[in-house]
Amino acid sequence: MIPMFDFFGNAFCHQMAERSFFWGSIQAPICARCMGTTAGVCFGVWFLLLFHRKNGNQPFDNACTLLAALSFLPITIDGLGSYMGFWQSNNLYRVITGVTAGYGVPAIFLLMANFQPTGKNDMPIYHSIKEPLCLLLCALAYACLVYIGVVPYFVAATLSVMGIVLLYACFWFLLVRTLMQERRFPCFLTACVLGLCTAIILASIVS
């Protein structure tokens, strides 16, 4: 299983050892920041499926919009600051900023895919600010559990690979839903299959 996880990790991450978590001598398939981002994406997609928001098309209210915008600040600040040499980041900062950025990505792509400029757009993705906040807190809790070593390798690696596929699926969902206006077309399933194919192709090229 480990070679398979590492193979899919090639499709998304540099896999630098010094920026990755370890379970004994086993390195995570992707770095800490990518692990956080992909986990956040998984949490975001699960929320949309669990609460039946796949057809959501109503723009976020002011509070949710502000939260979505602020969620990208930590990864931007920590990434740029460490890259420019102002400070040295660590895996705790990386995984936390990763999930903070990743958890809201599926909702943003869903809104872009479903929004109809001439339609009603009366189906909310978030019913209130409490929902994205709870989603963010769950993602942050997972990040902290990974950091302290509570989450087993198999769980973390599986979630990472799933997140890679779902992240690529978000891009495909936007494209497929834009091209296929018929609601009965299985856009989500098609996007997931295309996301898996994309990950396999990219991993094969990099490998």
Side-chain angles (χ1 to χ4, degrees):
M1 292 295 289
I2 294 176
M4 185 195 72
F5 290 139
D6 291 339
F7 171 78
F8 277 97
N10 279 328
F12 188 70
C13 180
H14 53 64
Q15 300 176 310
M16 295 174 63
E18 61 271 24
R19 298 184 182 182
S20 302
F21 292 113
F22 277 81
W23 283 260
S25 60
I26 303 175
Q27 180 182 336
I30 53 179
C31 73
R33 201 181 309 274
C34 290
M35 180 171 282
T37 303
T38 53
V41 169
C42 282
F43 277 86
V45 171
W46 292 343
F47 168 84
L48 297 175
L49 296 177
L50 183 62
F51 292 95
H52 308 289
R53 306 292 170 79
K54 280 198 307 178
N55 295 320
N57 56 17
Q58 187 179 83
F60 305 145
D61 61 25
N62 291 338
C64 291
T65 300
L66 179 61
L67 179 62
L70 292 177
S71 294
F72 288 95
L73 277 180
I75 195 171
T76 302
I77 293 173
D78 187 56
L80 286 177
S82 59
Y83 178 78
M84 298 177 69
F86 293 128
W87 58 77
Q88 182 62 45
S89 187
N90 58 45
N91 284 344
L92 176 61
Y93 293 155
R94 293 183 183 112
V95 71
I96 286 179
T97 56
V99 296
T100 303
Y103 84 98
V105 168
I108 293 173
F109 272 89
L110 183 71
L111 179 59
M112 291 190 295
N114 290 341
F115 181 79
Q116 299 294 325
T118 58
K120 280 186 176 181
N121 298 309
D122 57 356
M123 302 177 68
I125 296 174
Y126 298 129
H127 286 168
S128 72
I129 187 63
K130 293 179 181 179
E131 291 186 341
L133 276 176
C134 288
L135 179 58
L136 174 58
L137 289 176
C138 289
L140 287 172
Y142 171 80
C144 292
L145 290 175
V146 170
Y147 178 74
I148 63 178
V150 174
V151 180
Y153 167 82
F154 180 79
V155 174
T158 300
L159 205 61
S160 297
V161 171
M162 187 182 300
I164 292 171
V165 172
L166 289 176
L167 183 58
Y168 289 133
C170 286
F171 291 93
W172 281 113
F173 182 84
L174 175 59
L175 179 60
V176 173
R177 176 51 65 86
T178 301
L179 295 175
M180 302 292 182
Q181 295 299 319
E182 173 56 53
R183 293 285 179 174
R184 294 184 180 179
F185 186 82
C187 294
F188 178 75
L189 179 60
T190 302
C192 287
V193 172
L194 291 172
L196 177 61
C197 292
T198 301
I200 293 174
I201 291 171
L202 290 177
S204 299
I205 293 173
V206 174
S207 298

